[in-house]
Amino acid sequence: MHIDTITMITSPDLAWQEEALCAQTGADFFFPEPGSSVREAKRICGMCPIRSACLDYALDNDERFGVWGGLSEKERLELRRTSR
């Protein structure tokens, strides 16, 4: 019962993830091994209808790994630096 309560509290904030194309393709493209290409992940993100919500989530939650909203870790870091 406790888990259901937690899920109900957090689910509305993350409801956008259900529409994400990455949720339908799997995490391998979005969390590649170090040095691997993120080209395919960025291609999928480019077609995703909730790309901006994903990027906002990553920036708001300081996600440091993977491709979020079409940007790699390095690209999000650079975006944070230039936004200050």
Side-chain angles (χ1 to χ4, degrees), residues 7 12 22 26 37 45 52 64 80:
T7 303
C22 61
S37 175
C45 288
S52 61
R64 299 195 181 200
R80 280 190 210 96

Side-chain angles (χ1 to χ4, degrees), residues 65-80:
F65 301 101
V67 175
W68 291 80
L71 299 182
S72 68
E73 300 97 332
K74 290 179 183 179
E75 292 167 327
R76 289 192 308 276
L77 180 60
E78 184 62 30
L79 183 62
R80 280 190 210 96

Side-chain angles (χ1 to χ4, degrees), residues 40-73:
E40 187 64 18
K42 288 183 172 197
R43 185 186 70 76
I44 294 168
C45 288
M47 298 182 293
C48 189
I50 52 92
R51 180 179 174 188
S52 61
C54 180
L55 180 57
D56 289 344
Y57 174 83
L59 295 172
D60 291 345
N61 292 283
D62 198 26
E63 287 290 345
R64 299 195 181 200
F65 301 101
V67 175
W68 291 80
L71 299 182
S72 68
E73 300 97 332

Side-chain angles (χ1 to χ4, degrees), residues 7 27 29 36 71 82-84:
T7 303
F29 294 122
S36 297
L71 299 182
T82 59
S83 297
R84 290 182 190 175

